[in-house]
Amino acid sequence: MVLTSVGKMVGLQKKASGIRNICILAHVDHGKTTLADCLISSNGIISSRLAGKLRYLDSREDEQVRGITMKSSAISLHFVKGDQEYLINLIDSPGHVDFSSEVSTAVRLCDGCIIVVDAVEGVCPQTQAVLRQAWLENIRPVLVVNKIDRLIVELKLTPQEAYLHLKNILEQINAVTGTLFTSKVLEERAEKETESETLSDASPGDQIYDWSTGLEDTDDSHLYFSPEHGNVVFASAIDGWGFGIEHFAKLYSQKIGIKPAVLLKTLWGDYYLNTKAKKIMKGDQSKGKKPLFVQLVLDNIWSLYEAVMKRDKEKIEKIVTSLGLRIGARESRHADPKVHLNAICSQWLPISDAILSMVCNKIPSPLDITAERVEKLMCVGARTFDSLPPETQELKSAFMKCSSEGTAPVIVFVSKMFPVDAKALPQNKPRPLTQEEIAHRRELAKRRHAEKLAASQGKELSEKTPSESSPEVTGSTGDTKGEEQQLPGEGDSVTSKAVKLEADNKEHFIAFARVFSGVVKRGQKIYVLGPKYDPAESLHKLSSQCSATDGLPAVPHMTCCTLENLYLLMGRELEDLEEVPAGNVLGIGGLQDFVLKSATLSTSPACPPFTPLNFEATPIVRVAVEPKHPSDMPQLVRGMKLLNQADPCVQVLIQETGEHVLVTAGEVHLQRCLDDLKERFAKVQISVSAPIIPFRETITRPPKVDMVNEEIGKQQKVAVIHQTKEDQNKIPEGIQVDSDGLVTINTPNKQATLSVRAVPLPEEVTRLLEENSDLIRTMEQLNTSLNEEKKTHEINQKTLDRIKEFKQKLEKNLQGRKWRNAVDQIWSFGPRKCGPNILLHNFGGYKRSVWQCLGNSVKEVGKYRDFDNSIVSGFQLATLSGPMCEEPLMGVCFSVEKWELSKAGDSLSNSRQDSGEFDTAEHQQNEDNTLKSSCSGEGPSANEHQDRNQSGTDSPEKVNKHRGELPLADCYGPFTGQLIATMKEACRYALQAKPQRLMAAMYTCEIMATAEVLGRVYAVLSKREGRVLQEEMKEGTDVFIIKAVLPVAESFGFADEIRKRTSGLASPQLVFSHWEIISSDPFWVPTTEEEYLHFGEKADSENQARKYMNAVRKRKGLYVEEKIVEHAEKQRTLSRNK
């Protein structure tokens, strides 16, 4: 029976000091949902006997089948501690790495989290990931060491060994927290130092850095987990018990007569009890004594387990009476000793009391939100809090107060949208009948019964001969009459039902949100702020006092909506609410047309959008989806839109080929998305392509040794039957290629000549460019605003410092003769102006670079001014699809060594200068639009690009024709378009002049396996091109942790295969890690005698890179050079001849 009514919950919501918003975070299978069950059963929502078996918050069918949580779900619990009442909003989150985006959505709404760790497995990769997520969101963690029963029953450790094992786990967790803390302190210190350096331009003397100085000053004791601080609970959720040491401190203070405060400090640590002196002494290990924790706590639990497992009735009775418990006969006679154990433990050490009291003591209420967290939430991107408009900065106090007054601005953050069946909505549920309705129905039943009786008696009088069955027959006819009388009403209800069904088929989305300030009311009008909304721009148009009810001018990234329904989230149930005060987690209905995945809602236009969520997993697994019956295409498109809204991590794209593509975080995530699409959102049969595996193309330095490790150039070349690599990459006429790879090419109208060279970038530089893609994007925005001479808001000093630091790192990594002045000559990054490739201008007379935003901007004058954007566009197109299999490039530097414009070209540029500034601006804008469209994931082909430029350069051309100048276009199309195409070709030929390689996406793979299945794990890894990095044994267990890297291309079905081969004893966790060059050359053919001897004339041993390249080319419909055997004569076997 549910112990707390909705009315009670609503009352508790108004008292912010008694609210605790918490989520449960852990590695997969460490017992989060079982723990949540135990906490839910304390409120009577489910039976305590079913806790752990029911998994109440796993409401999806596939969650129950797979036994893992796939989405965050919330429930509100009531907890009474002494005379204080608390409302606990609990969010259960997934532990599987594929669903780590759901963890991010849960963490943003909470003030604290429960980190659950398996006592046997200890700290696992996902435990570290969730600790990092909690740290990034500035929320307070508490620890539950779960599954302690496994130490007793499975590992059969003694209490002393178990104590050392638990101590070790705590040290591991604190080590993870320590590294996070250290990095933060050192970062802050470095920032302070740079500030002080800029303030005081002291003479450069010999500076000695002591990196530990900042660490000693800052207090970090509150961060670490330690039982004496009260932020650790030892538990076994499946057996229903858990305790913090304060429980035993109170218990033993009465028995031994030692103050509870002393016991609290000494129950955990190297202390022992001197029974003679009744004193607690230090140094148990040196004296060979039992630690207090073992003697007073673990020994008791171990002896209880031993007694119950061995069915020692006398001992059990003695324990039960001494603890003063009442155990039912049903539990004590049960065949499974675990049931008996659960009955004793859940009364003696109830897990819900231990955990919820720790949550209430240690986790802050919404009122105690830190200033640091508020500033972090309010500052999007590179902006600092001080650079926000003053009206926005004033909102900080509203956050800090978390007030529910009518005057306080309403600020709500929606972290995700989740779909709900129409039947689950409170307004559609069958409601209990009122007293009047029951009385009315009783009257109807009585009347019908009287009619039946009257009818049957009348018939009896008229005919006495028929058998006894007649009353029954007439009764039944009377019954139908009664039904017929009711039919008209029912008919109406049938039609209304049909209308209702149509409405219900529309998927209902509810926003998973938290109120940070003010009171949210049903029917309230509110602004929806998109992630790109800038309060500084809108406050010029709107007054800060205006409300969402006023008629407003159009402001970009801001809409106005009405909050239709507010819900209290109760796991699988939803309850209607009229209003929700600050500090609460709630569901909001009616936002599905306004919010895609997450958004900020506010009644004040000065409110900034919150910083976007930190997602740990990168979506990498792509599949193309199409309906089995083409007529179902509209339903599929609609279904994919709904799926995109329902899942925080999934991406839905339409590629230039017209394919509908789903991008997901992993195999389990992909399977869930496809199931949802089929059964819930699209409701059509779909066919799914094989996974589309992403690759990158790059170049390397020429190898020093060949395929048989002979030094190149020493051996004698032999006549080759195959085409050699040079023949394969035949270079057309009119293109010159030097011996060192410099490609010179003319535009079709011979007005311009380009010379381009491709050079591989050092690995560190490629990594640096990848890590700083957001910063490069910011630089690009700043540069375009400078070029267009827009007055943007002041460039943030912090951003400038980051750009300077980025430039210094690049200079440090690009050293040597061939990279001299390379950093200053960077013209653009690509693809999409923020990728891991570089374009350099290495010719005289040109000044523009990407570092304009640092203050050294040069207004480009001269012959190159009008056409430089075309060269950059050509580079962007070339890096977006490489020559091998049209995949993006990575780690390549293109250097333009020569760019000559003929006299006619000069006159072209002069005529364009004369034709007015607006033309060039229009042209540049056109270029930007073209690139923006390529950024959206639907990159245009070169032809489209030329067409757009043609339209862009149309107007200046007309102007020039009027003036009698030389026309801008000739029979080859506009000159800018020719430059783009020529630059693209030049880049592609420059690439082909160097040794080309494919780069594969790699997963890091962590596998936990016992010693007996280790060999099978290695067999599966080596079969799938995996590479083991390290293996280590977990202390105190027979479990090995294997760290390996595995190509994404080979990972499909990997987890299933490992589980099958090891009978479920090993399970891998795959996380996308990096890109790695495949060492083999996809175009390799044997050219020396040694290679012939080794590989044979056909060289048909498997070339991994060629296999991948041809697979991608086939998928894209490109030409694949394969020998197809048409008339092969099958060898007749002897058995066939008989």
Side-chain angles (χ1 to χ4, degrees):
M1 185 204 144
V2 180
L3 304 175
T4 315
S5 65
V6 178
K8 179 80 176 164
M9 294 289 192
V10 171
L12 288 169
Q13 281 187 341
K14 294 189 173 114
K15 209 174 86 184
S17 59
I19 297 171
R20 298 288 182 273
N21 297 315
I22 56 164
C23 53
I24 306 180
L25 309 177
H27 186 80
V28 66
D29 281 340
H30 278 203
K32 293 177 295 302
T33 310
T34 306
L35 180 65
D37 269 7
C38 294
L39 302 183
I40 294 166
S41 69
S42 70
N43 269 222
I45 296 167
I46 62 171
S47 154
S48 57
R49 287 195 191 117
L50 289 176
K53 298 176 188 73
L54 188 64
R55 303 208 312 280
Y56 182 73
L57 291 179
D58 286 355
S59 51
R60 291 172 58 102
E61 191 182 339
D62 48 1
E63 286 181 315
Q64 291 286 349
V65 170
R66 278 183 183 265
I68 58 169
T69 307
M70 295 186 184
K71 58 165 191 350
S72 318
S73 33
I75 192 161
S76 296
L77 304 174
H78 173 227
F79 178 63
V80 181
K81 187 179 173 218
D83 53 353
Q84 272 281 76
E85 283 190 295
Y86 293 95
L87 173 68
I88 290 167
N89 295 318
L90 175 79
I91 305 176
D92 182 29
S93 67
H96 195 285
V97 69
D98 282 12
F99 305 106
S100 60
S101 56
E102 290 277 350
V103 177
S104 308
T105 61
V107 166
R108 172 61 61 90
L109 304 185
C110 294
D111 301 305
C113 61
I114 300 173
I115 306 279
V116 183
V117 176
D118 186 326
V120 174
E121 291 181 9
V123 177
C124 291
Q126 206 55 23
T127 315
Q128 297 181 12
V130 294
L131 270 167
R132 187 165 56 251
Q133 274 176 310
W135 177 266
L136 288 171
E137 288 286 352
N138 285 47
I139 68 170
R140 177 112 22 108
V142 291
L143 180 69
V144 173
V145 182
N146 193 18
K147 304 196 184 183
I148 289 189
D149 59 301
R150 288 183 67 191
L151 299 179
I152 310 170
V153 180
E154 283 178 36
L155 298 187
K156 298 193 165 42
L157 300 182
T158 63
Q160 180 76 33
E161 288 166 344
Y163 169 67
L164 294 172
H165 183 75
L166 293 171
K167 209 170 169 186
N168 194 11
I169 286 174
L170 278 176
E171 279 167 17
Q172 285 173 11
I173 295 171
N174 287 333
V176 176
T177 314
T179 51
L180 292 168
F181 171 73
T182 310
S183 62
K184 180 193 169 198
V185 169
L186 295 180
E187 221 173 87
E188 283 177 357
R189 185 167 161 267
E191 273 176 25
K192 277 179 193 165
E193 277 188 0
T194 49
E195 281 171 23
S196 61
E197 274 172 29
T198 48
L199 290 170
S200 60
D201 298 329
S203 59
D206 291 336
Q207 288 187 331
I208 299 163
Y209 281 91
D210 173 19
W211 289 110
S212 61
T213 51
L215 290 172
E216 284 159 11
D217 308 337
T218 38
D219 174 38
D220 58 349
S221 58
H222 63 282
L223 293 174
Y224 297 117
F225 300 110
S226 176
E228 66 259 28
H229 292 159
N231 59 2
V232 180
V233 159
F234 301 97
S236 164
I238 200 78
D239 287 342
W241 61 266
F243 64 88
I245 59 170
E246 57 277 0
H247 173 88
F248 282 96
K250 279 180 197 164
L251 189 80
Y252 282 110
S253 64
Q254 297 158 3
K255 283 194 176 182
I256 312 170
I258 297 172
K259 288 177 187 168
V262 175
L263 272 172
L264 253 181
K265 284 182 183 171
T266 55
L267 253 178
W268 182 262
D270 298 337
Y271 299 97
Y272 72 96
L273 181 67
N274 186 332
T275 41
K276 287 179 187 172
K278 281 209 173 178
K279 277 186 182 173
I280 291 171
M281 317 284 264
K282 203 167 170 48
D284 59 342
Q285 305 230 331
S286 53
K287 293 172 184 154
K289 304 274 186 185
K290 269 189 187 175
L292 265 182
F293 188 70
V294 174
Q295 191 179 351
L296 303 183
V297 181
L298 295 185
D299 277 351
N300 293 325
I301 293 169
W302 256 247
S303 59
L304 171 63
Y305 264 79
E306 195 182 346
V308 176
M309 290 302 180
K310 288 182 179 172
R311 299 289 173 103
D312 187 342
K313 283 189 179 175
E314 286 178 18
K315 197 172 181 184
I316 294 170
E317 275 175 27
K318 191 181 171 187
I319 292 170
V320 169
T321 48
S322 67
L323 293 171
L325 309 176
R326 291 176 65 191
I327 307 298
R330 182 173 173 273
E331 281 88 357
S332 53
R333 289 192 195 127
H334 203 283
D336 183 4
K338 281 272 185 182
V339 175
H340 194 184
L341 196 63
N342 191 326
I344 298 171
C345 294
S346 55
Q347 284 187 44
W348 174 37
L349 301 168
I351 186 169
S352 54
D353 285 5
I355 289 175
L356 295 179
S357 57
M358 169 173 76
V359 162
C360 296
N361 291 338
K362 290 292 160 191
I363 284 175
S365 72
L367 295 173
D368 304 329
I369 188 166
T370 58
E372 184 186 10
R373 185 176 181 205
V374 171
E375 288 182 16
K376 223 176 183 181
L377 287 176
M378 290 173 82
C379 301
V380 180
R383 299 196 70 169
T384 55
F385 184 71
D386 304 329
S387 69
L388 294 168
E391 295 94 329
T392 305
Q393 292 191 31
E394 282 167 22
L395 289 176
K396 183 179 167 183
S397 61
F399 267 101
M400 302 291 286
K401 280 182 196 159
C402 188
S403 70
S404 306
E405 294 163 15
T407 53
V410 175
I411 302 170
V412 178
F413 181 73
V414 174
S415 74
K416 69 166 183 171
M417 303 291 286
F418 64 95
V420 168
D421 278 339
K423 294 172 202 157
L425 294 173
Q427 56 265 37
N428 300 343
K429 273 189 197 160
R431 56 185 180 79
L433 297 171
T434 59
Q435 287 296 332
E436 291 80 21
E437 284 171 328
I438 291 170
H440 178 62
R441 287 199 177 189
R442 196 182 291 128
E443 282 299 313
L444 276 175
K446 276 182 184 173
R447 202 178 305 155
R448 213 176 302 146
H449 186 63
E451 281 172 13
K452 270 189 214 171
L453 280 175
S456 61
Q457 282 168 3
K459 278 213 169 187
E460 263 180 14
L461 290 169
S462 59
E463 306 167 17
K464 292 213 171 182
T465 48
S467 63
E468 292 175 356
S469 64
S470 63
E472 286 175 26
V473 174
T474 52
S476 68
T477 53
D479 201 12
T480 50
K481 271 183 197 166
E483 277 179 13
E484 276 166 15
Q485 287 167 6
Q486 274 199 307
L487 269 177
E490 276 184 21
D492 298 345
S493 70
V494 167
T495 50
S496 66
K497 266 182 190 170
V499 175
K500 223 178 187 185
L501 270 175
E502 275 179 32
D504 289 352
N505 279 344
K506 194 182 174 199
E507 195 67 45
H508 288 271
F509 277 89
I510 288 178
F512 192 40
R514 170 171 169 187
V515 188
F516 281 90
S517 162
V519 181
V520 178
K521 295 183 175 137
R522 180 191 286 189
Q524 185 175 22
K525 285 210 161 195
I526 199 161
Y527 296 124
V528 179
L529 314 176
K532 290 184 181 174
Y533 172 74
D534 185 4
E537 282 180 27
S538 66
L539 286 170
H540 297 312
K541 299 182 186 176
L542 311 168
S543 74
S544 59
Q545 303 303 315
C546 71
S547 73
T549 47
D550 309 339
L552 297 171
V555 176
H557 308 295
M558 172 178 174
T559 51
C560 185
C561 78
T562 309
L563 304 178
E564 289 176 15
N565 292 301
L566 306 179
Y567 301 111
L568 176 68
L569 303 170
M570 292 296 290
R572 302 178 185 190
E573 309 287 322
L574 294 166
E575 300 289 350
D576 260 325
L577 295 174
E578 284 304 315
E579 60 173 50
V580 180
N584 285 289
V585 174
L586 78 159
I588 305 174
L591 289 182
Q592 65 206 64
D593 300 331
F594 302 97
V595 178
L596 179 63
K597 295 194 183 203
S598 65
T600 310
L601 314 179
S602 179
T603 49
S604 160
C607 178
F610 282 27
T611 45
L613 299 162
N614 301 303
F615 289 151
E616 287 279 320
T618 329
I620 189 95
V621 180
R622 293 165 175 255
V623 290
V625 181
E626 58 182 25
K628 286 232 170 103
H629 309 293
S631 58
D632 292 335
M633 197 65 190
Q635 285 103 299
L636 179 69
V637 172
R638 185 178 149 273
M640 287 181 84
K641 276 184 187 165
L642 293 174
L643 175 69
N644 188 28
Q645 192 169 15
D647 194 303
C649 189
V650 79
Q651 290 174 12
V652 174
L653 313 168
I654 299 177
Q655 292 196 315
E656 58 263 46
T657 52
E659 288 176 305
H660 287 75
V661 174
L662 276 185
V663 194
T664 57
E667 255 187 297
V668 183
H669 186 211
L670 171 66
Q671 195 53 53
R672 191 195 81 171
C673 290
L674 293 174
D675 288 348
D676 276 358
L677 201 55
K678 274 185 236 169
E679 290 156 21
R680 187 162 195 178
F681 299 127
K683 292 181 180 158
V684 293
Q685 287 298 307
I686 56 176
S687 49
V688 183
S689 73
I692 301 170
I693 297 128
F695 289 96
R696 295 285 181 267
E697 298 181 26
T698 190
I699 51 174
T700 57
R701 289 205 182 91
K704 296 219 169 37
V705 293
D706 66 7
M707 294 291 280
V708 283
N709 290 335
E710 294 279 335
E711 204 170 322
I712 286 178
K714 291 279 175 78
Q715 329 87 326
Q716 186 184 352
K717 295 257 176 180
V718 292
V720 183
I721 301 160
H722 294 282
Q723 292 176 313
T724 58
K725 188 178 170 199
E726 285 76 24
D727 295 339
Q728 282 179 355
N729 301 331
K730 269 189 179 157
I731 285 168
E733 291 174 32
I735 296 171
Q736 301 157 20
V737 181
D738 293 3
S739 57
D740 63 344
L742 182 69
V743 172
T744 306
I745 186 170
N746 294 325
T747 52
N749 64 2
K750 305 287 185 285
Q751 299 295 338
T753 310
L754 285 170
S755 293
V756 179
R757 184 195 309 276
V759 189
L761 282 172
E763 240 177 83
E764 300 79 35
V765 176
T766 313
R767 199 176 305 124
L768 193 65
L769 293 176
E770 269 200 298
E771 285 166 2
N772 290 290
S773 61
D774 290 342
L775 186 63
I776 296 171
R777 207 176 278 124
T778 312
M779 279 164 58
E780 180 57 36
Q781 286 165 0
L782 294 171
N783 289 340
T784 43
S785 59
L786 282 169
N787 290 341
E788 290 168 12
E789 293 179 358
K790 273 188 192 167
K791 281 289 165 205
T792 54
H793 52 260
E794 278 302 302
I795 300 173
N796 184 348
Q797 187 57 43
K798 201 172 178 186
T799 313
L800 281 179
D801 291 344
R802 282 176 63 203
I803 294 172
K804 280 177 190 163
E805 189 188 342
F806 171 55
K807 190 179 176 185
Q808 284 164 3
K809 281 182 184 170
L810 275 177
E811 282 167 349
K812 186 177 156 194
N813 286 317
L814 290 175
Q815 286 179 343
R817 190 170 52 83
K818 72 172 179 184
W819 296 110
R820 189 174 297 144
N821 298 332
V823 176
D824 292 321
Q825 291 171 350
I826 296 176
W827 195 352
S828 178
F829 299 96
R832 299 180 184 147
K833 295 203 173 180
C834 59
N837 304 288
I838 292 178
L839 176 66
L840 303 180
H841 54 81
N842 209 357
F843 54 90
Y846 187 81
K847 302 275 193 310
R848 187 180 285 176
S849 81
V850 288
W851 309 110
Q852 286 172 304
C853 49
L854 291 177
N856 48 4
S857 62
V858 179
K859 188 75 185 155
E860 190 60 50
V861 219
K863 56 184 179 179
Y864 302 124
R865 186 191 75 164
D866 299 326
F867 304 118
D868 57 355
N869 267 349
S870 303
I871 298 289
V872 172
S873 298
F875 160 74
Q876 299 296 344
L877 283 173
T879 51
L880 197 59
S881 57
M884 273 198 283
C885 50
E886 304 287 326
E887 289 286 301
L889 301 185
M890 187 170 190
V892 184
C893 169
F894 291 104
S895 171
V896 181
E897 311 258 319
K898 185 172 78 174
W899 179 16
E900 287 178 356
L901 288 168
S902 66
K903 291 282 186 292
D906 281 354
S907 62
L908 283 175
S909 68
N910 292 335
S911 68
R912 286 194 60 174
Q913 280 181 36
D914 296 343
S915 70
E917 290 292 327
F918 74 95
D919 296 331
T920 52
E922 190 178 340
H923 168 66
Q924 280 182 354
Q925 190 178 347
N926 216 46
E927 294 287 349
D928 286 346
N929 291 348
T930 327
L931 279 157
K932 270 177 198 160
S933 71
S934 73
C935 277
S936 66
E938 301 166 21
S941 62
N943 307 343
E944 286 174 24
H945 213 103
Q946 286 182 25
D947 293 347
R948 289 182 193 180
N949 277 295
Q950 199 162 354
S951 64
T953 51
D954 211 23
S955 56
E957 194 182 310
K958 284 176 189 166
V959 174
N960 291 337
K961 277 185 179 165
H962 282 304
R963 298 189 180 185
E965 293 277 3
L966 204 140
L968 252 179
D970 44 37
C971 60
Y972 299 107
F975 185 53
T976 47
Q978 292 177 44
L979 266 178
I980 289 174
T982 309
M983 179 63 187
K984 183 184 172 188
E985 290 305 303
C987 288
R988 292 184 86 140
Y989 289 126
L991 262 184
Q992 288 172 331
K994 292 286 166 90
Q996 292 169 267
R997 295 286 183 273
L998 266 186
M999 295 181 87
M1002 303 296 275
Y1003 277 137
T1004 48
C1005 166
E1006 296 227 358
I1007 307 170
M1008 298 183 74
T1010 51
E1012 60 263 24
V1013 294
L1014 217 50
R1016 292 178 212 162
V1017 170
Y1018 281 142
V1020 176
L1021 271 172
S1022 58
K1023 176 183 154 191
R1024 291 175 175 266
E1025 310 283 329
R1027 196 173 71 249
V1028 176
L1029 301 178
Q1030 69 177 91
E1031 68 166 36
E1032 54 186 41
M1033 195 172 184
K1034 273 224 148 150
E1035 279 185 45
T1037 63
D1038 61 344
V1039 174
F1040 284 88
I1041 298 174
I1042 303 155
K1043 286 187 182 166
V1045 285
L1046 180 79
V1048 172
E1050 302 290 339
S1051 70
F1052 300 99
F1054 174 71
D1056 285 343
E1057 189 177 356
I1058 277 219
R1059 271 197 289 274
K1060 278 178 197 161
R1061 293 286 296 275
T1062 61
S1063 313
L1065 290 173
S1067 54
Q1069 285 270 89
L1070 299 171
V1071 186
F1072 174 69
S1073 161
H1074 65 287
W1075 295 90
E1076 195 171 280
I1077 295 177
I1078 301 170
S1079 54
S1080 52
D1081 180 357
F1083 300 110
W1084 179 81
V1085 284
T1087 52
T1088 67
E1089 204 150 343
E1090 285 85 352
E1091 288 178 342
Y1092 263 110
L1093 289 169
H1094 194 277
F1095 293 102
E1097 187 183 303
K1098 291 200 176 83
D1100 46 11
S1101 60
E1102 195 66 27
N1103 180 339
Q1104 197 66 30
R1106 186 181 300 161
K1107 188 179 89 177
Y1108 289 150
M1109 181 181 80
N1110 286 346
V1112 176
R1113 290 185 74 90
K1114 261 186 198 164
R1115 193 187 80 234
K1116 293 187 175 180
L1118 304 169
Y1119 169 68
V1120 178
E1121 190 174 302
E1122 277 185 323
K1123 294 183 178 66
I1124 298 168
V1125 182
E1126 282 188 8
H1127 305 291
E1129 291 177 7
K1130 190 176 176 188
Q1131 181 189 352
R1132 295 182 63 168
T1133 57
L1134 290 170
S1135 59
R1136 189 78 177 270
N1137 283 340
K1138 279 178 186 173

